[in-house]
């Protein structure tokens, strides 16, 4: 088999993985810090795509949609935390799970009522239409942009968590919220911000995926399943795990598509099964951790 | 335990009385109830899931067909009622709903189903219960002898008809053809149709890629498809899969290298991804509203649909709902009621023209013989208005020659 074809295939795997990483990241951060399994994550991804599309058509520019939709939907996420999730802290892990599961139905139906159940076109931003000649083949400019943007978001996120005071508080809060409260930190505000960040990342994933797929009310359900697979492979709550597993899943899908295309979807679940058999806590997960 | 013994005696007697009364009730309706009873048509269709847009249009048009008959006084004075059920694009769900429609709602016939697997499940149930089923799924496995029964009718086009018509317009001798195919019955049937047509024309097959049904991302198939260097890429999938696959192929610059061809070009999916993505894509269709200058039936159908739906135009899949229910009701009209054998006989003799020109059900396999359109998606600048989606490349009028022969399908004639 041609080497350039394999390299092209790797590249499309990385682009696919980039979207997986960004969606799994929000899911894993919220679980790692808050112990909440957010089943509305896929629906919020979809809401993000619609918000991005709406804001882009309102302002006439994709870039405003890309910037504003995650912020707005992130704020909406904070509202969800404040009004709904907050009441369930300290209770069984099933309670927020069921709540967000119900919420996802409401969000999907809401979008069906407002925008209809047909798909809506989300045009690629004009600056990124078309393909770039890489010498060995052509690759869509937009997908290259997605890879770059996700890399930047990851870098900013890592720097914030590791190098700033806020990051320190967040990391400490995840490890021992009680001590943080004793030290005079308002842990409720930290959790509010974290949930907002998680939802904002879901929305960012939605806006980024919009121009690659058609935007429709059900677009989040498959994404939710993929994001869960990635977080389970990477280890629930692990940020590094989400990044490594996201890219691993994207590249596996892509390479399997080259040799056995009909197996492309199953490979993700097979990978999960293998990882669970060998390392039940996931690649970067901590054994026995519940929340 | 004397007490429980006595109750059991009473309940046994009551049960016996109940059973015999029930049996009498069951035996009676065919004779007694008929006169002023409404005619009920069951309509399973995937209202939720990736084919929801097409399914909703089917329902709107099926309701229109029923309304037009009721406005004229019904059938022999009996009103017609459409019982729509969501099959959720799932064969098991469809079988359960169809059984319910037959056993509980006592429908006189079933029309509907969109996916090939669902159609097979509905056909299994209706065939076993001796209820007429008019399928509007574009897969024709139920016309083959092993699944066929005298109760089975197929109003939709079949893969053989659409792929042959599309191939005639797009393929030439010596061309290289690659296929991207959804890995389930519909995709396999379309691939078989294209390969047969391409062999007849003398085009070369350079590769086939099967993709999982309902995939959201097709990017991983693109580098390999491009490396096959075909002149034509046939994308055989349905619903949102079609929209996503074409969109991502275009993103990868596929259109600069090759022409994209689909067995069935979908009105709603063209709307879902916009004119730039679909520009130049060629595909088959059962119906397009723009047929109205050429066809009086199309003009009348468009007008009736617009009047009932606030000025909207009917779609391809909508037209199936209309002609599927419409042809059945016309046959009931001719048979003077709902007697199954008489309606089957009437359907076999029926010559109908509801949306686009003359149609009839072929005797051996009950496939509707009808015209096939080949459409090309228009460039944005060439569109006269928002509804002006396609140019009609060909309108092949219906003939038995378009179909696989009765003996090829395993029917003895």
């Amino acid at each position: 088999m041609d080497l350039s074809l394999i390299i092209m295939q790797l590249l499309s795997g990385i682009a696919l993985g980039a979207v997986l990483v960004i969606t799994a990241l929000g899911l894993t951060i919220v679980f790692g810090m808050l112990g909440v399994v957010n089943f509305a994550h896929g629906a919020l991804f979809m809401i993000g795509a619609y918000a991005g599309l709406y804001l882009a058509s309102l302002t006439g520019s994709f870039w405003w949609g890309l910037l504003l939709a995650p912020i707005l939907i992130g704020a909406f996420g904070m509202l969800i935390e404040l009004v709904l999730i907050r009441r369930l802290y300290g209770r069984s892990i099933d309670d927020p799970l069921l709540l967000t599961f119900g919420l996802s139905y409401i969000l999907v139906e809401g979008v069906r009522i407002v925008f209809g159940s047909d798909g809506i076109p989300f045009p690629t931003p004009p600056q990124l239409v078309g393909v770039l000649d890489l010498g060995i083949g052509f690759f869509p400019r937009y997908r290259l942009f997605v890879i770059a943007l996700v890399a930047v978001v990851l870098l900013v996120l890592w720097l914030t968590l590791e190098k700033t005071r806020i990051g320190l508080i967040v990391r400490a809060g995840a490890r021992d919220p009680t001590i943080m409260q004793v030290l005079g930190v308002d842990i409720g505000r930290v959790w509010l911000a974290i949930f907002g960040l998680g939802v904002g990342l879901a929305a960012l994933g939605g806006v980024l995926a919009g121009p690659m797929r058609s935007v429709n009310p059900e677009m989040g359900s498959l994404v939710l399943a993929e994001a869960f697979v990635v977080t389970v492979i990477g280890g629930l709550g692990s940020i590094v795990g989400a990044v490594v597993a996201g890219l691993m899943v994207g590249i596996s899908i892509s390479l399997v598509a080259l040799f056995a295309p009909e197996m492309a979807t199953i490979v993700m679940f097979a990978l999960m099964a293998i990882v669970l058999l060998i390392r039940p806590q996931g690649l970067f997960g901590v054994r026995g951790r519940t929340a | 335990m004397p007490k429980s013994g006595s109750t059991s005696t009473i309940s046994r007697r009551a049960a016996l009385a109940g059973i015999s009364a029930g049996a009498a009730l069951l035996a009676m309706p065919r004779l007694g109830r008929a006169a002023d009873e409404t005619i009920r048509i069951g309509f399973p269709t995937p209202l939720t899931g990736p084919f929801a847009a097409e399914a909703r249009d089917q329902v709107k048009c099926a309701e229109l067909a029923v309304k037009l008959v009721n406005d004229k006084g019904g059938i022999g004075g009996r009103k017609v009622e459409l019982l729509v059920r969501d099959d959720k694009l799932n064969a098991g769900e469809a079988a359960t709903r169809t059984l319910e429609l037959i056993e509980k709602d006592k429908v006189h016939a079933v029309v509907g189903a969109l996916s090939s697997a669902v159609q097979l499940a509905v056909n299994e149930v209706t065939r076993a219960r001796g209820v007429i089923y008019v399928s509007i799924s574009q897969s024709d496995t139920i016309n083959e002898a092993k699944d066929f029964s005298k109760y089975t009718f197929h109003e939709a086009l079949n893969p053989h008809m659409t792929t042959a018509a599309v191939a005639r317009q797009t393929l030439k001798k010596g061309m290289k053809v690659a296929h991207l195919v959804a890995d389930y019955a519909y995709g396999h049937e379309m691939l078989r149709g294209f390969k047969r047509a391409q062999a007849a024309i003398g085009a070369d097959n350079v590769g086939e890629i099967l993709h999982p049904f309902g995939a959201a991302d097709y990017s991983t198939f693109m580098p390999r498809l491009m490396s096959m260097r075909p002149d034509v890429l046939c994308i055989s999938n349905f619903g949102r899969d079609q929209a996503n696959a074409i969109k991502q192929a275009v993103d990868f610059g596929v259109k600069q290298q090759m022409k994209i061809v689909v067995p069935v070009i979908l009105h709603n999916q063209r709307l879902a991804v916009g004119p730039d993505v679909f520009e130049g894509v060629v595909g088959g269709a059962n119906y397009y509203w723009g047929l109205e200058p050429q066809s009086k039936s199309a003009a009348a159908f468009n007008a009736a649909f617009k009047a009932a739906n606030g000025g909207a135009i009917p779609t391809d899949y909508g037209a199936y709902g209309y002609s599927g229910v419409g042809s059945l009701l016309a046959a009931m009209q001719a048979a003077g009621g709902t007697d199954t054998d008489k309606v089957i006989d009437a359907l076999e003799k029926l010559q109908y023209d509801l949306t686009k020109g003359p149609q009839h059900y072929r005797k051996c396999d009950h496939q509707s013989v009808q015209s096939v359109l080949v459409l090309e998606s228009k460039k944005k600048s060439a569109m006269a208005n928002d509804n002006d989606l396609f140019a009609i490349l060909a309108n092949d009028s219906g003939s038995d020659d378009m179909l696989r022969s009765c003996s090829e399908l395993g029917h003895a004639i």
Side-chain angles (χ1 to χ4, degrees):
Chain A
M1 191 155 284
D2 198 352
L3 184 68
S4 62
L5 179 59
I6 293 178
I7 293 170
M8 290 303 289
Q9 203 72 30
L10 267 173
L11 202 54
S12 53
I14 292 169
L16 189 63
V19 178
L20 288 175
V21 168
I22 209 83
T23 44
L25 208 56
L27 200 65
T28 209
I29 286 178
V30 167
F31 181 80
M33 311 278 177
L34 276 63
V36 170
V37 181
N38 184 8
F39 258 81
H41 201 71
L44 290 160
F45 171 92
M46 177 272 297
I47 298 271
Y50 274 90
L53 184 58
Y54 182 75
L55 289 166
S57 64
L58 211 64
T59 57
S61 157
F62 168 79
W63 307 105
W64 283 113
L66 183 65
L67 182 71
L68 295 178
I71 296 174
L72 274 178
I73 302 304
F76 174 62
M78 287 162 104
L79 191 71
I80 294 173
E81 199 271 352
L82 210 58
V83 180
L84 298 169
I85 312 271
R86 178 153 293 194
R87 292 156 209 281
L88 302 176
Y89 290 142
R91 293 168 63 161
S92 136
I93 194 169
D94 308 336
D95 289 2
L97 190 150
L98 286 171
L99 177 98
T100 50
F101 189 62
L103 186 66
S104 73
Y105 274 94
I106 295 173
L107 293 175
V108 171
E109 281 305 322
V111 167
R112 281 198 189 127
I113 292 166
V114 178
F115 295 98
S117 49
D118 300 344
I120 303 180
F122 194 148
T124 311
Q127 299 87 335
L128 297 172
V129 168
V131 288
L132 199 67
D133 189 353
L134 299 176
I136 48 163
F138 297 96
F139 203 76
R141 288 168 200 272
Y142 183 77
R143 281 181 196 254
L144 291 172
F145 162 76
V146 169
I147 297 175
L149 187 83
V150 169
V152 170
V153 169
L154 287 177
L155 189 68
V156 170
L157 204 65
W158 181 77
L159 285 177
T160 316
L161 281 176
E162 296 294 326
K163 305 283 175 200
T164 66
R165 216 183 110 75
I166 305 168
L168 191 67
I169 293 173
V170 167
R171 279 182 294 142
R175 197 170 288 178
D176 198 332
T178 323
I179 292 288
M180 291 307 286
Q181 272 166 318
V182 170
L183 289 174
V185 174
D186 184 354
I187 199 76
R189 269 171 60 194
V190 175
W191 284 345
L192 181 68
I194 291 297
F195 197 82
L197 175 68
V199 171
L201 285 171
L204 178 64
V207 187
L208 285 177
M212 293 191 270
R213 306 163 185 182
S214 66
V215 174
N216 60 64
E218 290 84 25
M219 69 187 289
S221 56
L222 196 65
V223 167
L224 180 70
E226 290 171 347
F228 267 117
V229 170
V230 169
T231 40
V232 168
I233 293 176
L236 273 167
S238 165
I239 293 176
V240 182
V243 176
V244 172
L247 289 174
M248 204 165 97
V249 168
I251 291 170
S252 311
I253 290 177
S254 193
L255 290 184
V256 168
L258 198 55
F259 303 104
E262 54 273 59
M263 300 292 165
T265 307
I266 297 172
V267 65
M268 171 169 87
F269 297 100
L271 204 61
M272 178 171 76
I274 294 167
V275 168
L276 285 180
L277 281 174
I278 299 169
R279 256 184 89 83
Q281 70 272 39
L283 294 177
F284 294 87
V286 183
R287 186 182 283 276
R289 176 166 168 174
T290 49
Chain B
M1 285 186 281
K3 208 177 173 189
S4 77
S6 71
T7 41
S8 100
T9 317
I10 289 164
S11 69
R12 190 183 301 135
R13 192 175 293 151
L16 280 172
I19 287 166
S20 50
L25 267 175
L26 278 177
M28 259 167 55
R30 271 155 219 266
L31 309 164
R33 281 203 322 212
D36 56 341
E37 189 199 23
T38 54
I39 294 174
R40 289 175 299 275
I41 312 289
F43 198 80
T45 190
L47 288 170
T48 47
F51 303 167
E54 283 78 16
R56 270 208 332 280
D57 287 333
Q58 288 189 333
V59 172
K60 277 186 205 157
C61 288
E63 279 168 348
L64 177 64
V66 167
K67 180 181 173 292
L68 293 182
V69 167
N70 282 337
D71 285 351
K72 285 186 188 151
I75 292 171
R78 294 163 69 183
K79 287 278 173 204
V80 181
E81 189 190 349
L82 190 74
L83 288 83
V84 178
R85 297 289 181 269
D86 185 5
D87 68 33
K88 299 186 178 159
L89 204 63
N90 175 306
E93 181 81 18
T96 314
R97 294 286 152 264
T98 307
L99 200 59
E100 250 174 41
L101 282 167
I102 295 171
E103 298 285 324
K104 202 169 125 256
D105 300 309
K106 307 266 182 257
V107 294
H108 297 92
V110 175
V111 181
L114 219 159
S115 136
S116 38
V118 169
Q119 164 195 253
L120 276 171
V122 173
N123 187 53
E124 272 306 304
V125 175
T126 49
R127 179 169 75 160
R129 310 275 150 167
V131 173
I132 294 173
Y133 171 44
V134 183
S135 166
I136 47 177
S137 158
Q138 292 215 35
S139 150
D140 66 342
T141 41
I142 61 171
N143 297 85
E144 290 170 16
K146 64 179 167 54
D147 286 304
F148 179 75
S149 76
K150 67 172 184 176
Y151 308 103
T152 307
F153 288 81
H154 195 259
E155 160 61 24
L157 294 171
N158 66 40
H160 184 70
M161 295 162 91
T162 53
T163 52
V166 170
R168 248 198 316 279
Q169 293 300 320
T170 53
L171 302 184
K172 288 189 186 74
K173 193 173 165 60
M175 270 186 172
K176 288 186 286 184
V177 186
H179 296 272
L180 178 62
V181 180
D183 191 13
Y184 73 115
Y186 176 88
H188 297 168
E189 286 169 38
M190 291 299 181
L191 175 63
R192 189 182 62 196
F194 268 131
K195 282 169 89 172
R196 184 175 160 135
Q198 130 199 347
I201 291 167
D204 300 322
N205 207 49
V206 292
E208 297 155 17
I209 291 185
L210 296 178
H211 74 74
F213 168 61
D217 199 283
Y218 296 83
S219 63
T220 55
F221 309 122
M222 295 306 158
R224 197 165 142 217
L225 282 170
M226 309 268 283
S227 75
M228 293 172 185
R229 308 218 158 266
D231 302 304
V232 174
L233 171 64
C234 299
I235 300 182
S236 297
N237 53 18
F238 191 82
R240 278 180 192 148
D241 288 5
Q242 180 175 82
N244 280 331
I246 294 179
K247 183 162 171 50
Q248 290 169 29
V250 171
D251 286 346
F252 271 78
V254 159
K255 275 205 295 207
Q256 277 93 311
Q257 281 188 21
M258 60 196 95
K259 187 158 190 70
I260 298 179
V261 156
V262 294
V264 177
I265 193 163
L266 296 166
H267 191 114
N268 286 318
Q269 302 309 326
R270 154 61 188 80
L271 291 178
V273 290
D276 297 336
V277 171
F278 262 56
E279 180 187 332
V281 174
V282 173
N286 59 312
Y287 186 74
Y288 173 54
W289 73 274
L291 207 54
E292 59 183 25
Q294 316 178 16
S295 161
K296 277 185 189 160
S297 321
F301 171 48
N302 289 344
F305 187 86
K306 279 181 186 168
N309 294 284
I313 49 155
T315 64
D316 41 10
Y317 265 76
Y320 278 142
Y322 185 79
S323 55
V325 172
S327 62
L328 174 70
L329 295 180
M332 285 180 169
Q333 200 82 264
T338 52
D339 181 275
T340 300
D341 284 330
K342 283 187 189 160
V343 176
I344 291 173
D345 195 45
L347 274 167
E348 285 180 349
K349 292 193 179 109
L350 191 69
Q351 298 286 334
Y352 60 106
D353 179 356
L354 296 168
T355 60
K356 56 176 179 175
Q359 288 181 243
H360 69 272
Y361 290 105
R362 181 164 72 166
K363 176 100 172 123
C364 72
D365 67 342
H366 293 172
Q367 166 63 41
S368 177
V369 180
Q370 59 187 299
S371 59
V372 183
L373 297 175
V374 180
L375 307 176
E376 178 167 26
S377 196
K378 283 189 178 177
K379 209 188 203 149
K380 196 172 185 180
S381 57
M383 289 167 60
N385 56 56
D386 282 352
N387 288 331
D388 187 19
L389 308 179
F390 304 120
I392 300 175
L393 295 186
N395 181 4
D396 298 347
S397 54
S399 89
D400 283 19
D401 302 339
M402 281 182 175
L403 307 177
R404 286 185 288 167
S405 70
C406 293
S407 57
E408 193 186 340
L409 296 173
H411 297 285
I413 278 178

